[in-house]
């Protein structure tokens, strides 16, 4: 049976008492979930439902079942991010979760989570951050404050809002500082720590994490700030049945000279004045299939591009997902200043454009 929740009421509660319960929810989601004696969901109740019932003559002493919405939306076994997104797009703020018999087993609160992705996550936090010295002489780069919060906390919060609960952080440099930081839950997540005895590159630490044979794992650098929609990235990965999906940022190169086009000899065939070339660059965020991560040698150094190239060589599918919004790789003092200015201006919040 579910633990008690102020949003859950019995369907035989009076309309007056239900109004009192809604009033006590001020500041939270103003929706109640009504259940019968078997704890099956009978309907949902908002102040609008009650107001409409009172207008047509329902007395305050009547049971709330007289005015509740019986055509409610719910999450069922097997439902995933697509069903959650569909409910969110309808403006639903609280979604009951039911088992195969209709029995209430949970509540999905859209004020706390955007989605629930079937992913584990690994945040890479073992680097020395040498380009940011002296700031990183005593503080590991992931713990440098941006907008009053450690950089890594923005990413843990992002994972929490995506419903990812299994999070591991790989550490090496000033490892004790990061271990201490995650000694207590962060945004409701009990973050696990793996420590690299030797530098393992940008993906080698994933070999120290236990993976199920099936499924996928999100791997990202811990020193990034981005409003990338993890939901959209996962859905692309899932639709494409990919073994690796790489988040990519547009990167433009402008050449300040006229570029010559030539044939195999020394003949000039065309002249292009100050051309601009556009590419997609690796953003340091990946979704890997667990079967690909299983090809890593435990404890051996490996960089993420090497693992991507391995997938391609095996004939496995690699795709990219473009980032349309904010992405900052905090690698230099200039990057760090820019990140601090951005978060101060934005009030410590990165927007989620896909959910607008």
């Amino acid at each position: 049976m579910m633990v008690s929740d102020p949003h859950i009421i019995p369907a035989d509660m009076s309309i007056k008492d239900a109004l009192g319960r809604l009033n006590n929810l001020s500041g939270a989601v103003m929706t109640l979930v009504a259940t019968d004696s078997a704890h099956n969901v009978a309907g949902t109740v908002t102040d609008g439902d009650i107001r409409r019932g009172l207008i047509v003559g329902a007395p305050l002493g009547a049971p709330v079942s007289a005015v509740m919405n019986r055509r409610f939306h719910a999450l069922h076994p097997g439902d995933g991010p697509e069903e959650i997104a569909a409910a969110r797009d309808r403006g639903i703020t609280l979604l009951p979760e039911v088992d195969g018999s209709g029995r209430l087993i949970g509540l999905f609160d859209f004020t706390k989570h955007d989605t629930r992705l079937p992913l584990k996550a690994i945040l890479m936090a073992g680097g020395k951050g040498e380009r940011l010295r002296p700031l990183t002489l005593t503080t590991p780069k992931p713990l440098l404050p941006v907008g009053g919060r450690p950089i890594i906390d923005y990413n843990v919060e992002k994972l929490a809002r995506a419903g990812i609960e299994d999070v591991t952080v790989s550490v090496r440099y000033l490892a004790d500082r990061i271990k201490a930081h995650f000694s207590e839950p962060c945004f409701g997540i009990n973050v696990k720590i793996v420590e690299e005895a030797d530098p393992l590159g940008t993906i080698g630490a994933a070999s120290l994490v236990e993976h199920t044979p099936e499924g996928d794992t999100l791997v990202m650098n811990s020193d990034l700030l981005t409003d990338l929609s993890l939901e959209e990235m996962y859905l692309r990965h899932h639709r494409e049945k990919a073994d690796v999906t790489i988040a990519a940022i547009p990167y433009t190169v402008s050449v300040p000279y006229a570029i010559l086009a030539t044939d195999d000899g020394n003949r000039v065939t065309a002249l292009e004045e100050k051309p601009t070339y556009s590419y997609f660059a690796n953003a340091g965020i990946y979704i890997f299939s667990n079967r690909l991560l299983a090809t890593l040698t435990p404890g051996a150094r490996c960089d993420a591009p090497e693992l991507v190239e391995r997938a391609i060589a095996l004939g496995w599918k690699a795709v990219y997902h473009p980032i349309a919004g904010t992405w900052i790789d905090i690698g230099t003092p200039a990057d760090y200043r820019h990140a601090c200015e951005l978060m101060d201006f934005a009030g410590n919040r990165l927007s989620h454009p896909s959910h607008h």
Side-chain angles (χ1 to χ4, degrees):
M1 180 175 290
M2 274 191 57
V3 297
S4 176
D5 188 286
H7 291 90
I8 303 171
I9 62 171
D12 58 2
M13 174 180 279
S14 71
I15 292 175
K16 180 180 178 181
D17 288 343
L19 279 171
R21 185 68 70 88
L22 282 169
N23 187 62
N24 291 337
L25 288 174
S26 180
V29 175
M30 301 290 284
T31 300
L32 300 174
V33 176
T35 61
D36 62 20
S37 58
H39 211 58
N40 296 317
V41 178
T44 58
V45 185
T46 66
D47 58 355
D49 294 320
I50 293 177
R51 185 171 61 251
R52 285 185 288 272
L54 294 176
I55 289 172
V56 297
L60 285 173
V64 75
S65 57
V67 298
M68 68 186 181
N69 174 22
R70 299 177 183 272
R71 300 180 63 184
F72 57 89
H73 295 278
L75 281 180
H76 300 86
D79 286 351
E82 295 92 342
E83 289 77 18
I84 294 174
R88 185 186 62 232
D89 292 344
R90 294 188 187 101
I92 295 171
T93 52
L94 190 72
L95 200 57
E97 301 180 61
V98 299
D99 63 16
S101 301
R103 188 171 182 270
L104 183 66
I105 57 174
L107 297 174
F108 190 92
D109 186 341
F110 282 101
T111 67
K112 298 177 180 177
H113 303 285
D114 299 318
T115 185
R116 182 182 294 154
L117 302 182
L119 294 170
K120 288 186 174 183
I122 303 174
L123 295 175
M124 298 297 181
K128 293 183 177 180
E130 292 179 325
R131 291 180 295 166
L132 280 169
R133 288 183 175 176
L135 293 173
T136 52
L137 287 174
T138 57
T139 302
K141 183 166 62 167
L143 296 187
L144 289 177
V146 172
R149 296 166 54 189
I151 298 167
I152 196 170
D153 280 11
Y154 289 97
N155 292 312
V156 175
E157 181 185 23
K158 189 175 189 67
L159 297 175
R161 288 202 63 86
I164 301 173
E165 299 177 345
D166 191 328
V167 179
T168 300
V169 175
S170 71
V171 299
R172 186 169 185 272
Y173 177 68
L174 298 177
D176 288 344
R177 292 287 306 276
I178 299 178
K179 289 179 182 178
H181 181 70
F182 289 116
S183 61
E184 296 182 355
C186 185
F187 298 102
I189 297 176
N190 290 307
V191 175
K192 295 177 284 189
I193 302 289
V194 295
E195 187 167 0
E196 305 174 35
D198 299 300
L200 297 181
T202 56
I203 195 64
S207 69
L208 306 177
V209 179
E210 187 175 340
H211 304 285
T212 58
E214 303 297 326
D216 304 281
T217 299
L218 174 76
V219 180
M220 66 181 293
N221 299 338
S222 64
D223 53 2
L224 301 174
L225 285 178
T226 181
D227 60 3
L228 164 70
S229 168
L230 296 179
E231 178 185 71
E232 290 183 357
M233 184 175 177
Y234 168 77
L235 291 176
R236 182 184 297 269
H237 178 83
H238 182 67
R239 284 194 302 266
E240 296 284 350
K241 299 180 180 179
D243 278 286
V244 55
T245 299
I246 308 164
I249 55 167
Y251 188 77
T252 301
V253 178
S254 297
V255 181
Y257 309 107
I259 297 300
L260 278 62
T262 62
D263 60 15
D264 293 337
N266 58 3
R267 181 181 177 185
V268 175
T269 58
L271 202 65
E272 187 174 1
E273 187 68 30
K274 299 179 180 179
T276 297
Y277 302 101
S278 296
Y279 304 93
F280 279 107
N282 183 355
I285 307 170
Y286 313 85
I287 298 177
F288 290 105
S289 68
N290 289 344
R291 73 162 184 160
L292 180 56
L293 291 178
T295 68
L296 292 169
T297 301
R301 181 184 177 90
C302 183
D303 288 323
E306 178 185 342
L307 186 59
V308 173
E309 290 171 352
R310 182 182 305 171
I312 295 170
L314 290 169
W316 296 359
K317 193 169 186 179
V319 303
Y320 73 92
H321 179 76
I323 298 176
T326 301
W327 179 88
I328 304 174
D329 177 14
I330 304 175
T332 67
D335 295 329
Y336 182 55
R337 287 193 300 272
H338 176 48
C340 290
E341 292 167 357
L342 173 67
M343 297 314 294
D344 286 341
F345 177 77
N348 295 350
R349 301 294 298 179
L350 287 171
S351 63
H352 303 275
S354 64
H355 297 162
H356 289 171

